[in-house]
Amino acid sequence: MTWETITAADAGSWTLGDLTVHRVGFGAMRLTHQADGSPSDRDRAISVLRRALELGVNHIDTAAFYFSPLRSANELINTALAPYPDDLVITTKVGPGKDPSGEWLPLARPEQLRGQVEENLRQLGRDHLDVVNLRVHGPESIAEHFGALAELRAAGLIRHLGISNVRAHHLAEAQAIAPVVCVQNQYGIGAPARQDEFLRLCGEQGVAFVPFFAIAGAGKESGAGGAEDTEVLAIATARGVSTAQVRLAWTLRRGPHVLAIPGTGNPEHLAANIAAGSLRLTDEELARLEAVHRSARPDS
């Protein structure tokens, strides 16, 4: 089956501050390497990025720490898409970092965030960043780190701010410092109940909720798996679509403020992921998936 006639616009739109994006975007992490860890094909990665824009994608998620020994996601984006279309929104994230060998560094201190922002600017070839997510680890206060980014926003280096890998109290803490346009957390079928509650809270506040690993299922970074697979597969088979498309369609139905950023280095998977934005699950299918979601999720 071909999905080439369906574009990201079919999923509808949402606003990140004053920036309008289609609800199906593109995550750049998988551009840098193959599933087995070997380098991706550079020309293919560049063609996938260009094809994403042809299919209506205007929201790309990336980070300076998305790199492999031979590939950098930001450099690929710059090579493929610059000069950037006026409506393209590039979201990046800071906090984590890697040394040149790819080893993770300690989480950046507040005074180190400017250097991370400038590195993203340099790699992307831009004079400002559309959206920067502060990615954190643990329940500690984010006020000092988020305040540092708010200063960079006031200086014109950043247009809008978001937060990633956080809990609800972090959103309140950040909102007291500067506006938050998006929350980027792990979410999908089987996600913890607290993430459902957080998703609803974001909707009430008009904040975009941007799940990562939505295709993978509960707690898995690559490939679907787990107890929920049987039901997801049954619905996918009956509809003549993939399980990834069912998972993406389900995620988008969680609220109009929910955005998707599936990533791939495969042009066929790209088209299928974008087409999931037009897949309308029936009430009966949604009820079946909701039952699986509630039964598969962990207690915390």
Side-chain angles (χ1 to χ4, degrees), residues 1-4 6 26 30-31 34 41 43-52 54-55 245 263-275:
M1 183 178 294
T2 179
W3 311 105
E4 299 296 324
I6 301 173
F26 181 82
R30 298 188 185 278
L31 289 178
Q34 312 258 16
D41 181 275
D43 290 341
R44 192 185 201 204
I46 288 172
S47 69
V48 165
L49 283 163
R50 290 174 176 166
R51 184 58 179 153
E54 291 172 358
L55 291 173
Q245 289 174 305
T264 181
N266 183 313
E268 293 181 4
H269 291 169
L270 169 71
N273 288 343
I274 291 171

Side-chain angles (χ1 to χ4, degrees), residues 31-33 37-40 65-73 98 100:
L31 289 178
T32 63
H33 58 274
S38 62
S40 60
F65 55 83
Y66 286 174
F67 68 87
S68 64
L70 296 180
R71 304 283 180 263
S72 156
K98 292 180 179 180

